Amino acid sequence: MAKRCPTHDVASPLVIATLETELGIDPDALTKLRSDPNVSFTDAYADPRLIDCGRSQCRDRR
């Protein structure tokens, strides 16, 4: 079994907020994430689906 990827196999704040918005759990989740002063810019806007970590198994999954 391959090791977990620290970029793609860890829940990101952006993906969680997007899912909460899409599922109707919290319609303002993205707005809250991006306006929270305790959340870094990278956490608020970085989409792990767009990041190429260089691992072949991650490229094969996408």
Side-chain angles (χ1 to χ4, degrees):
M1 182 171 191
K3 287 185 172 182
R4 295 176 60 93
C5 175
T7 302
H8 298 108
D9 294 334
V10 178
S12 78
L14 178 63
V15 174
I16 293 170
T18 302
L19 283 172
E20 288 178 348
T21 302
E22 290 174 356
L23 297 174
I25 296 170
D26 184 0
D28 297 325
L30 283 170
T31 305
K32 290 177 187 173
L33 175 70
R34 291 180 175 153
S35 63
D36 186 352
N38 296 322
V39 176
S40 72
F41 180 84
T42 305
D43 286 342
Y45 290 94
D47 187 351
R49 294 171 289 192
L50 301 176
I51 298 170
D52 183 9
C53 67
R55 296 172 60 127
S56 60
Q57 59 266 34
C58 292
R59 272 187 249 122
D60 294 342
R61 282 193 301 201
R62 292 191 270 157

